[in-house]
Amino acid sequence: MKHRIQVSDEVALNVDDFGSGQPLVFLHGWPANNTMFEYQADFVVENGYRYIGIDHRGFGLSDRAADGYDYDTIADDIQKVVDELNLKDIIVVGFSVGGALALKYGVKHNSSNLKKMVLLGPAGPSFVQRDGYPYGLKPEDVTALIEQINDDQPKAIGDFGEDSFFNSDIEVSDEYKQYFNAMTLTSSLIGTVKLAESLRDEDLREEIKSLDLPVYGIHGTADHVCPIEFSEYLEKEAPDYTLSKVEGAGHALFFEKKDEVNRLLLEALKK
């Protein structure tokens, strides 16, 4: 089933909803959409869960918007979906920037209705290097990427897609890479740029210290986009973060080692 859920006067979100049981709210990475979770969606539904896949504003089949690509607004979008669908006892699963958005959501909208979160290769607490945080890209590198996107979005996104499969010991077919690249190019230019700006500018290091719920991280040791140091930092600084390392997997661990990732995901769901 597909839902069109109005989150503002100008923006309705596409939400995929199938299966039954405890609802799992999936938050996709930049610049993809919730279709990227196909191998996880089928798996969790077969194991008795309800899959709720949100396309963020500006991505996939959701409406594009002039603004609202900051973490705070997107966290509110997620809560509006939860409220509209009357979801109870939810678990949030976030990949890459979806992991960072999950962190923001967990801080801002934590309640007894949110049971836990599972983060796959999260792009947080900060995607870029900062004072006291020497991990990830430099801010100017992301600015250069944004300039490349504004100049030639298909080429810039294609190059980024190669990075997602880079530095991994798993062979990924050219056909899957082409499929994934085509998926990312459904994203609006404005959404792609504005969410990249948020990746560059948002810093959740202080906020995660108040994250009062269990969080399980699943992270590839060969991740070139979101280094595993992100999750190691979260394990040290967040109150209740448990990290599972996927040896040899790059950023696209959701496909490269889907069987292992799905097994770890199910283990986290059942804890």
Side-chain angles (χ1 to χ4, degrees):
M1 178 186 301
K2 281 188 178 294
H3 303 284
R4 295 286 293 174
I5 295 183
Q6 205 75 30
V7 295
S8 74
D9 290 342
E10 298 178 345
V11 180
L13 301 185
N14 174 67
V15 181
D16 288 334
D17 176 1
F18 61 98
S20 60
Q22 186 175 18
L24 310 180
V25 179
F26 278 75
L27 309 177
H28 65 80
W30 177 95
N33 55 65
N34 94 87
T35 306
M36 63 160 287
F37 292 119
E38 284 183 312
Y39 293 95
Q40 285 68 51
D42 289 351
F43 177 79
V44 298
V45 167
E46 288 175 0
N47 280 277
Y49 294 91
R50 179 180 173 188
Y51 174 85
I52 306 290
I54 301 174
D55 288 347
H56 307 313
R57 57 173 64 205
F59 295 85
L61 297 177
S62 290
D63 292 343
R64 65 186 63 195
D67 52 25
Y69 298 96
D70 57 284
Y71 289 1
D72 191 68
T73 300
I74 297 176
D76 289 345
D77 287 350
I78 297 163
Q79 185 59 38
K80 288 171 183 174
V81 171
V82 170
D83 291 341
E84 181 68 21
L85 296 181
N86 195 29
L87 302 177
K88 302 299 183 184
D89 297 331
I90 65 170
I91 299 174
V92 172
V93 182
F95 166 74
S96 195
V97 72
L101 292 167
L103 292 170
K104 182 69 177 185
Y105 178 81
V107 170
K108 186 173 186 183
H109 293 288
N110 190 13
S111 71
S112 60
N113 197 39
L114 176 59
K115 296 306 180 183
K116 67 183 74 167
M117 302 193 299
V118 184
L119 311 186
L120 311 178
S126 172
F127 184 64
V128 299
Q129 299 175 19
R130 304 184 187 278
D131 289 342
Y133 186 88
Y135 316 116
L137 298 174
K138 296 179 180 178
E140 54 266 31
D141 294 332
V142 180
T143 300
L145 174 60
I146 291 168
E147 292 171 352
Q148 292 165 12
I149 294 168
N150 275 319
D151 181 59
D152 187 341
Q153 182 185 9
K155 183 179 188 310
I157 297 306
D159 291 344
F160 177 82
E162 285 296 321
D163 282 343
S164 293
F165 300 100
F166 177 76
N167 202 27
S168 165
D169 62 8
I170 299 102
E171 185 68 29
V172 175
S173 70
D174 289 338
E175 289 81 1
Y176 184 82
K177 291 180 182 179
Q178 292 165 7
Y179 161 79
F180 189 79
N181 188 56
M183 181 203 311
T184 63
L185 289 175
T186 62
S187 305
S188 67
L189 176 61
I190 190 169
T192 302
V193 167
K194 292 290 188 181
L195 191 54
E197 291 175 349
S198 294
L199 272 165
R200 179 193 62 196
D201 299 339
E202 300 266 7
D203 182 0
L204 302 175
R205 286 179 294 167
E206 284 302 312
E207 294 184 48
I208 62 167
K209 295 177 181 178
S210 63
L211 196 59
D212 185 23
L213 78 163
V215 184
Y216 298 92
I218 302 172
H219 213 128
T221 60
D223 193 329
H224 183 66
V225 176
C226 294
I228 197 167
E229 285 84 1
F230 290 3
S231 277
E232 291 173 341
Y233 183 95
L234 287 167
E235 189 173 39
K236 180 165 45 169
E237 297 296 333
D240 189 0
Y241 190 94
T242 304
L243 172 60
S244 296
K245 298 181 179 181
V246 183
E247 292 296 329
H251 194 51
L253 76 169
F254 59 90
F255 178 76
E256 291 177 342
K257 288 204 170 183
K258 51 185 170 292
D259 291 342
E260 182 176 354
V261 168
N262 287 350
R263 176 181 60 79
L264 291 169
L265 171 60
L266 186 60
E267 288 178 1
L269 296 177
K270 291 184 172 181
K271 288 180 179 177

